[in-house]
Amino acid sequence: MDASSEAIFVQDRSGCIRCWNAAAERIFGYDRHEILGKSANLLLENDSDRRFIEAQVLHHGQAVDARSTLRSKDGHLVNVAVTWAPVCDEAGHTREICAIAREQGRFVPDELAHALDLAPVIVRNLKGTILMWTKGMQMLYGFSAGEALGKNSHELFGTKFPGPLAEIENLVRRNGYWCGELRHKRKDGRQIWVASTWTMHRDASEVAILIEVNVDITGLKQAQEEIRRLNLELERRVEERTAALTETNRELEAFAYTISHDLRAPLRTMQGFGQALLEDYANRIDSTAAGYIARVANAASRMDALIQDLLAYSRLSRTDVRLEPVPLISVVRAAIEQLGAAGSGIEVRQPLFTVLGHSSVVVQVLMNLISNALKFHTPGVAPRIRIFSERRQGWVRLTVQDGGIGIEQRFHKKIFDVFQRLHGVEAFPGTGIGLSIVRKGIERLGGRYGLESEPGKGSRFWFELPEVTGDGTRKTHDSIGRG
Ligand code: ADP
């Protein structure tokens, strides 16, 4: 029994161990003298396993083959395949159970060698001479052991290294280890990529050898290369399109600017001659003719306003907007002054903070908001306008509030589009470009805009720009950059 490589032990009907061989000692760690007479429950962890085995073997007299985990003396669990067989007396009654257990999950040396031989491993000396060549290597490269052993591995594979070989060898000597990607050639001439790991090992006589494990990653590399190629192609196409779009945009803007500019000259001529007619021929034309001339002059100045607004709009796209600290108080004052609106019922509430923006763009935006607030007042009621600012988590919101006619909710978004007007020019003159300039200006400064308004209850148009602290830097806050 002791010659067996399998653990053999016998337990009686009460579970007491009666017999214990040498392999059982080795596998479970108990010496024979300390386990004999003890309960087999010491080994069998699992209650339901135990009950099943007893029922089958003791009561039905049947042998059971099972995979179990048995607990060894030092507490660790051993995976075993066990045959639990009944031992019967002459009368045929089961007296004892004999267990024959074979350890699982551990290789006997032959199996281990066989399994390792399938791995793509070579053993070589530091110069590269191949000392061991596995079947796994043969499968990967196509060379038999006879063709590979004794050869220089770098020459055999035609290795292309990611850097100078001397440097890699120094790293291996220093760290005992190197890994990287290499290009190799198979026996059939096909190029492959491998992820290579070199581990240095010194044998008993202190001679250094390298264990090199090569895993084929050619498919992975090809996929990476394809992704890189597609990305480059995509970038190239995006660049081409962007360049084409930029060029078209530039041409369009130049065109719009020139047209608007050139259109103003004939208009001024019409206005000038209309005026001259009215002044120089006042006593020779009747009131109807004077009315017609006034209407021509009026139409000319409306067209002039339209062209000026279009110019301002197109200028906004072309100017280089460089962000700088802008004290709101100075731009509000400049806007009111340029509108000639001082003393028109505008209340400016302090403090107004400093924002990151661009002075002339913010002045333009404010002029449009303030002139609208002055214009869209309830007929018969003098305009009352309030300008104030609030800090909002790293942003400053500037509001232009009026007590005018107000705007229905459904138009709140639309009126920021070009040429969107809610009234005829007879009721309220205008071009429908003012708020689109506000939108474009604030967008170019990286800010936000909006309004709160109801018909008959006035409007609060606002925009938000990042706050600048006293030392001129942008106030940092988590919410900056949101929305
Ligand atoms: P414009 O003022 O030249 O008509 P805008 O683009 O500035 O053009 O404004 C678009 C439309 O939005 C206006 O025609 C008007 O109907 C509405 N609007 C703008 N501001 C106000 C305001 N403060 N109160 C009421 N309606 C306004």
Side-chain angles (χ1 to χ4, degrees):
M1 224 169 65
D2 277 345
S4 167
S5 66
E6 292 165 343
I8 303 175
F9 56 92
V10 176
Q11 63 179 82
D12 63 18
R13 289 186 69 93
S14 65
C16 199
I17 293 180
R18 296 285 168 219
C19 183
W20 189 256
N21 78 342
E25 283 186 335
R26 180 176 54 77
I27 294 173
F28 300 112
Y30 290 102
D31 280 346
R32 197 164 303 171
H33 64 264
E34 61 182 334
I35 191 106
L36 289 179
K38 299 268 167 51
S39 165
N41 293 352
L42 278 177
L43 304 166
L44 252 182
E45 271 269 297
N46 192 322
D47 258 5
S48 55
D49 275 4
R50 203 182 59 233
R51 280 198 298 275
F52 172 74
I53 291 160
E54 282 173 4
Q56 287 300 106
V57 185
L58 289 180
H59 302 133
H60 302 297
Q62 288 170 356
V64 173
D65 280 318
R67 282 185 181 267
S68 295
T69 45
L70 300 188
R71 189 169 289 286
S72 66
K73 186 179 168 188
D74 64 11
H76 82 268
L77 294 174
V78 187
N79 282 326
V80 281
V82 197
T83 303
W84 306 91
V87 181
C88 304
D89 60 14
E90 284 120 32
H93 299 300
T94 306
R95 289 280 157 236
E96 292 173 325
I97 303 175
C98 176
I100 303 161
R102 186 173 176 205
E103 223 181 334
Q104 300 289 292
R106 279 203 199 169
F107 289 103
V108 293
D110 273 0
E111 285 173 325
L112 182 64
H114 182 69
L116 278 180
D117 198 35
L118 295 173
V121 181
I122 55 172
V123 176
R124 60 177 175 85
N125 64 19
L126 289 187
K127 283 193 205 127
T129 311
I130 299 171
L131 308 171
M132 193 195 100
W133 181 260
T134 63
K135 211 170 258 145
M137 274 297 185
Q138 179 167 344
M139 289 191 298
L140 182 55
Y141 290 93
F143 299 108
S144 67
E147 290 166 317
L149 288 171
K151 301 271 166 52
N152 179 291
S153 64
H154 310 321
E155 285 167 16
L156 189 70
F157 301 148
T159 311
K160 293 210 174 64
F161 296 97
L165 177 60
E167 272 177 26
I168 297 176
E169 285 174 346
N170 279 343
L171 281 174
V172 181
R173 276 198 201 92
R174 199 167 55 228
N175 306 331
Y177 178 86
W178 177 84
C179 64
E181 292 177 354
L182 302 174
R183 267 195 94 139
H184 280 166
K185 201 162 65 191
R186 285 167 39 101
K187 187 181 174 184
D188 60 11
R190 195 158 63 83
Q191 294 277 348
I192 57 169
W193 276 99
V194 293
S196 191
T197 308
W198 305 359
T199 311
M200 194 157 77
H201 175 75
R202 287 186 193 277
D203 67 9
S205 50
E206 281 297 293
V207 176
I209 52 163
L210 281 181
I211 297 146
E212 178 175 329
V213 182
N214 292 342
V215 178
D216 187 359
I217 54 163
T218 313
L220 185 74
K221 285 302 239 187
Q222 280 166 349
Q224 278 175 352
E225 181 52 30
E226 183 62 8
I227 291 173
R228 204 183 62 84
R229 198 187 57 73
L230 287 174
N231 267 340
L232 281 180
E233 172 69 13
L234 201 66
E235 265 171 38
R236 196 188 54 75
R237 273 202 246 157
V238 169
E239 262 169 33
E240 262 177 30
R241 297 250 165 100
T242 314
L245 268 176
T246 313
E247 181 57 20
T248 315
N249 259 343
R250 209 187 50 74
E251 276 171 12
L252 271 175
E253 274 161 19
F255 181 70
Y257 187 74
T258 315
I259 296 266
S260 320
H261 219 258
D262 294 354
L263 278 177
R264 291 192 71 196
L267 280 177
R268 274 199 298 272
T269 313
M270 283 160 72
Q271 281 170 312
F273 279 102
Q275 198 59 34
L277 262 180
L278 285 177
E279 284 168 12
D280 301 350
Y281 295 85
N283 46 6
R284 276 186 266 167
I285 49 176
D286 61 15
S287 61
T288 315
Y292 289 162
I293 295 169
R295 280 166 76 172
V296 169
N298 223 343
S301 38
R302 279 225 319 271
M303 189 145 178
D304 192 39
L306 189 63
I307 291 169
Q308 284 203 51
D309 279 357
L310 278 173
L311 273 178
Y313 186 75
S314 102
R315 208 176 299 128
L316 253 187
S317 337
R318 285 178 300 106
T319 36
D320 204 8
V321 174
R322 202 161 293 159
L323 296 182
E324 62 198 5
V326 176
L328 284 175
I329 185 66
S330 56
V331 278
V332 166
R333 281 196 187 126
I336 295 175
E337 196 185 306
Q338 286 185 40
L339 284 171
S344 323
I346 303 176
E347 176 196 350
V348 179
R349 282 215 182 152
Q350 304 254 29
L352 292 178
F353 304 100
T354 297
V355 294
L356 194 64
H358 186 272
S359 267
S360 60
V361 175
V362 183
V363 170
Q364 175 80 66
V365 165
L366 278 166
M367 279 170 67
N368 293 3
L369 292 180
I370 296 170
S371 61
N372 278 351
L374 287 168
K375 183 164 59 176
F376 295 103
H377 67 94
T378 317
V381 180
R384 286 204 59 77
I385 296 162
R386 196 185 292 155
I387 299 175
F388 57 94
S389 70
E390 306 152 87
R391 285 186 155 131
R392 294 179 157 234
Q393 301 179 316
W395 294 79
V396 173
R397 174 178 286 201
L398 186 123
T399 304
V400 177
Q401 178 179 3
D402 64 50
I405 58 173
I407 303 160
E408 276 183 63
Q409 171 81 33
R410 64 193 166 114
F411 297 123
H412 284 192
K413 205 166 156 354
K414 201 171 159 197
I415 50 171
F416 286 93
D417 291 341
V418 188
F419 300 134
Q420 294 300 326
R421 309 198 70 240
L422 306 178
H423 315 92
V425 275
E426 299 75 27
F428 295 99
T431 58
I433 301 176
L435 287 182
S436 20
I437 290 179
V438 169
R439 186 180 92 181
K440 186 160 212 167
I442 296 299
E443 278 175 355
R444 286 218 64 191
L445 300 180
R448 299 175 293 221
Y449 59 89
L451 84 133
E452 290 147 22
S453 180
E454 266 182 64
K457 296 198 177 157
S459 307
R460 292 154 75 103
F461 280 85
W462 58 263
F463 63 81
E464 286 179 1
L465 290 171
E467 181 176 1
V468 174
T469 51
D471 60 3
T473 55
R474 179 177 178 166
K475 189 162 180 171
T476 48
H477 191 279
D478 286 353
S479 60
I480 282 200
R482 76 201 146 108

